[in-house]
């Protein structure tokens, strides 16, 4: 199963390069246009569902895609952005200039938590659990269609989540160097191990989401990561609401 993880469209805080964390900031006019262009770029065939974070900027982006594709839109709490605590609202570039070591830890150290915020490991745990939830739900939904290739799923989330997931799935020595831009996507293939455990492989990152529909096979077999190994507990990503 292919899960296409899409970063939401632009907000005013994105445009001014400020941290926004879990502040519920809607899309700005540019973000709305991005979401509309993305929706029109997707083929109406081959998608089973659209999931999104509960935050407005992700849910708005997802709603355009779900309307275009004619599939359900489900909100999944585990896809929400990282809680950045006291960093919320600060300018990213100025913070990086004044605190380069802290900025590096924020982006690369999974055990770092900004004051009042979440560790990267906690965010990775709930986002990996969200991928597992999506895979289980969509596999079950298609169980009566034996022999059919499972349709792709679109999951609209956030830059901080995607940074952590791509680093975890890419493995040592292959970490993507560029953060996923607004309106860009990460292509992930999710399957099941011989023991029945969910596992995921990173295929592409920072690409237009429609490029994930027919992503070419890599020259070498993908390196799968056990999703359960990234999940800290069973309390994450359990609440799904429908729109």
């Amino acid at each position: 199963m292919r899960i296409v993880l899409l970063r939401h469209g632009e907000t005013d805080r994105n445009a001014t390069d400020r941290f926004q964390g879990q502040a519920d900031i809607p899309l700005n006019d540019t973000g709305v246009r991005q979401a509309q262009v993305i929706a029109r770029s997707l083929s109406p065939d081959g998608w089973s569902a659209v999931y999104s974070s509960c935050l407005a900027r992700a849910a708005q982006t997802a709603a355009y895609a779900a309307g275009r594709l004619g599939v359900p839109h489900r909100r999944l709490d585990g896809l929400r952005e990282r809680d950045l605590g006291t960093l919320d609202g600060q300018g990213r570039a100025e913070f990086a200039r004044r605190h380069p070591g802290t900025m590096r830890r924020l982006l690369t150290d999974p055990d770092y938590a900004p004051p009042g915020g979440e560790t990267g490991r906690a965010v990775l745990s709930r986002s990996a659990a969200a991928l597992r939830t999506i895979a289980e739900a969509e596999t079950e939904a298609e169980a009566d269609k034996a022999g059919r290739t499972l349709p792709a799923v679109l999951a609209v989330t956030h830059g901080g989540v995607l940074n952590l997931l791509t680093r975890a799935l890419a493995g040592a020595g292959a970490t993507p160097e560029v953060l996923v831009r607004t309106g860009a996507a990460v292509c992930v293939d999710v399957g099941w191990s011989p023991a029945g455990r969910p596992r995921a492989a990173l295929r592409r990152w920072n690409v237009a989401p429609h490029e994930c529909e027919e992503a070419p096979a890599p020259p070498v077999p993908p390196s799968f990561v056990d999703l359960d190994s990234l999940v800290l507990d069973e309390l994450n990503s359990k609440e799904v609401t429908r729109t």
Side-chain angles (χ1 to χ4, degrees):
M1 172 190 300
R2 175 145 297 160
I3 299 179
V4 180
L5 293 158
L6 172 67
R7 188 179 177 192
H8 59 79
E10 185 183 272
T11 69
D12 285 343
R13 284 200 184 178
N14 292 139
T16 55
D17 196 29
R18 289 184 291 158
F19 292 112
Q20 60 188 332
Q22 292 186 5
D24 205 6
I25 310 296
L27 299 177
N28 60 18
D29 290 344
T30 298
V32 169
R33 288 193 294 271
Q34 287 176 329
Q36 292 170 335
V37 168
I38 289 167
R40 290 194 296 268
S41 76
L42 301 175
S43 170
D45 299 322
W47 297 85
S48 63
V50 173
Y51 289 78
S52 78
S53 156
C54 296
L55 295 175
R57 56 193 183 270
Q60 287 177 280
T61 304
Y64 285 105
R68 155 74 172 172
L69 300 173
V71 299
H73 172 201
R74 302 182 177 102
R75 301 188 190 201
L76 192 57
D77 188 57
L79 296 173
R80 72 186 183 277
E81 180 59 294
R82 183 177 185 173
D83 186 344
L84 294 175
T86 59
L87 298 186
D88 192 19
Q90 295 189 45
R92 290 174 56 90
E94 176 63 14
F95 182 83
R97 185 186 69 80
R98 296 178 60 186
H99 308 285
T102 303
M103 186 67 168
R104 186 165 50 252
R105 289 190 69 193
L106 179 69
L107 296 176
T108 63
D109 181 356
D111 293 313
Y112 172 74
E118 289 180 286
T119 65
R121 199 173 302 281
V123 179
L124 180 60
S125 172
R126 61 175 167 78
S127 57
L131 288 184
R132 182 181 64 192
T133 295
I134 293 170
E136 290 172 345
E138 297 306 313
T139 299
E140 182 178 352
E142 296 294 322
D144 61 340
K145 301 173 183 177
R148 176 182 170 183
T149 300
L150 289 176
V153 176
L154 186 69
V156 186
T157 184
H158 304 268
V161 171
L162 291 174
N163 177 55
L164 288 157
L165 276 174
T166 54
R167 286 179 176 275
L169 298 181
T175 301
E177 296 295 331
V178 180
L179 295 180
V180 176
R181 64 187 183 276
T182 55
V186 172
C187 313
V188 174
D189 282 348
V190 178
W192 308 94
S193 72
R197 293 168 64 89
R199 55 186 186 175
L202 179 66
R203 295 292 195 161
R204 309 175 76 181
W205 61 85
N206 216 20
V207 298
H210 70 269
E211 295 180 59
C212 295
E213 291 179 329
E214 296 293 339
V220 295
S223 176
F224 279 93
V225 174
D226 186 333
L227 287 175
D228 286 347
S229 71
L230 304 177
V231 178
L232 297 177
D233 55 56
E234 294 297 325
L235 301 178
N236 297 314
S237 306
K238 293 301 184 184
E239 292 298 323
V240 178
T241 57
R242 298 172 185 267
T243 59

